[in-house]
Amino acid sequence: EIVMTQSPATLSVSPGERATLSCRASQSVSSNLAWYQQKPGQAPRLLIYGASTRATGAPARFSGGGSGTEFTLTISSLQSEDFAVYYCQQYNNWPPLTFGGGTKVEIK
Amino acid sequence: EVQLVESGGGLVQPGGSLRLSCAASGFTFSSYEMNWVRQAPGKGLEWVSYISSSHSTIYYADSVKGRFTISRDNAKNSLYLQMNSLRAEDTAIYYCARDAAGYLAPYYFDYWGQGTLVTVSS
C-alpha cells in the first residue's frame, strides 16, 4: 500500500498570500495524483488530477506540480473561500487508492 | 446537473448490517464507474470500494473485504453498499463518488454525494 504524507498539517495564511501544500508518496506514483478541497460539512471537491491538470470549475489560482514521490498544490493568492482542508490522493497503485491525511489551511 | 444522493445511514449495533444506497441523476449512470469513500468523524478520507460500469470488476479495501458488498442497478441509476458484521471502526460518513477516468480501474473522483452517516455503537 502506498502511504501518502501531507505537510504541514495546518497552514496559517493571510488572505491574498500564497500557500504551498506538500504531498509525498512512499513510492513513485508517476503523475497519478489528485488534489481535493473539503469545507466543513461538505463533500470533497476535485481540484487537480494528473498532478497538474485543473479540474473543470477549479479556479486558475490553484496549480499542481511534481511527479514521482513529491507533489505540491499552490494557491497563488488566497481568497476567503479557499480556507478549507486539502487532500492528495494517488491512483497509480491500487487497490487500495490512498489519500493523504490532509492539510488544513486556516486564516492567519 | 450531476447529482448523487446517498441514503440508508443510521445507528446500528456492532455485528449488525446496513445497506446504503446512492441515487444518481444528471448523467448516464450506466457509463460510469463508481466508488464508495468514507470519512470517520474528524478524520481523513478512506477509499472503500469500486465497481465498474458493467459490474464486471470490483475492488475493496482490505479493511472491509469479506464484510461489505458493492453493487449497482443501472436500470435504477443506483449504487449500493451492503455492510455486514459492522464494527465501531466502520463509523463514518459514507460518500458515493463518480470515477472520472473510465479506465476500468479506480482513479479519481469528479462528483461526490453529500454523504450518509453510519454510526456503529451499542
Side-chain angles (χ1 to χ4, degrees), chain B residues 14-36:
Chain B
S17 298
L18 216 50
R19 189 196 196 205
L20 306 183
S21 299
C22 172
S25 61
F27 65 103
T28 305
F29 179 72
S30 59
S31 297
Y32 283 85
E33 296 148 32
M34 298 294 295
N35 296 263
W36 288 97

Side-chain angles (χ1 to χ4, degrees), chain A residues 38 87 101, chain B residues 39-45 91-93:
Chain A
Q38 187 178 34
Y87 294 96
Chain B
Q39 186 170 35
K43 302 297 184 182
L45 300 166
T91 294
I93 296 172

Side-chain angles (χ1 to χ4, degrees), chain A residues 36 38 43 49 89 91 94 97, chain B residues 39 59 95 105 107-109 113:
Chain A
Y36 300 87
Q38 187 178 34
Y49 62 93
Q89 176 232 323
Y91 51 95
W94 41 263
L97 297 180
Chain B
Q39 186 170 35
Y59 298 110
Y95 297 101
Y107 268 61
Y108 51 90
F109 316 123

Side-chain angles (χ1 to χ4, degrees), chain A residues 1 32 34 36 38 41-46 48-50 87 89-91 94-101, chain B residues 35 37 39 43-47 59-61 65 95 99-100 104-110 112-115:
Chain A
E1 172 177 329
N32 294 316
Y36 300 87
Q38 187 178 34
Q42 296 186 15
R45 169 197 178 192
L46 178 66
I48 300 283
Y49 62 93
Y87 294 96
Q89 176 232 323
Q90 67 83 20
Y91 51 95
W94 41 263
L97 297 180
T98 48
F99 292 86
Chain B
N35 296 263
V37 178
Q39 186 170 35
K43 302 297 184 182
L45 300 166
E46 180 188 15
W47 171 81
Y59 298 110
Y60 297 100
K65 200 176 294 183
Y95 297 101
D99 208 281
L104 265 186
Y107 268 61
Y108 51 90
F109 316 123
D110 57 355
W112 299 61
Q114 85 290 347

Side-chain angles (χ1 to χ4, degrees), chain B residues 62-105:
Chain B
D62 284 348
S63 57
V64 306
K65 200 176 294 183
R67 301 186 300 122
F68 289 12
T69 302
I70 191 172
S71 62
R72 63 190 295 163
D73 186 335
N74 287 340
K76 294 183 177 179
N77 291 337
S78 293
L79 175 72
Y80 305 102
L81 187 68
Q82 177 66 43
M83 304 186 296
N84 299 330
S85 303
L86 283 161
R87 306 166 180 165
E89 54 264 35
D90 295 319
T91 294
I93 296 172
Y94 284 74
Y95 297 101
C96 67
R98 191 178 84 168
D99 208 281
Y103 294 140
L104 265 186

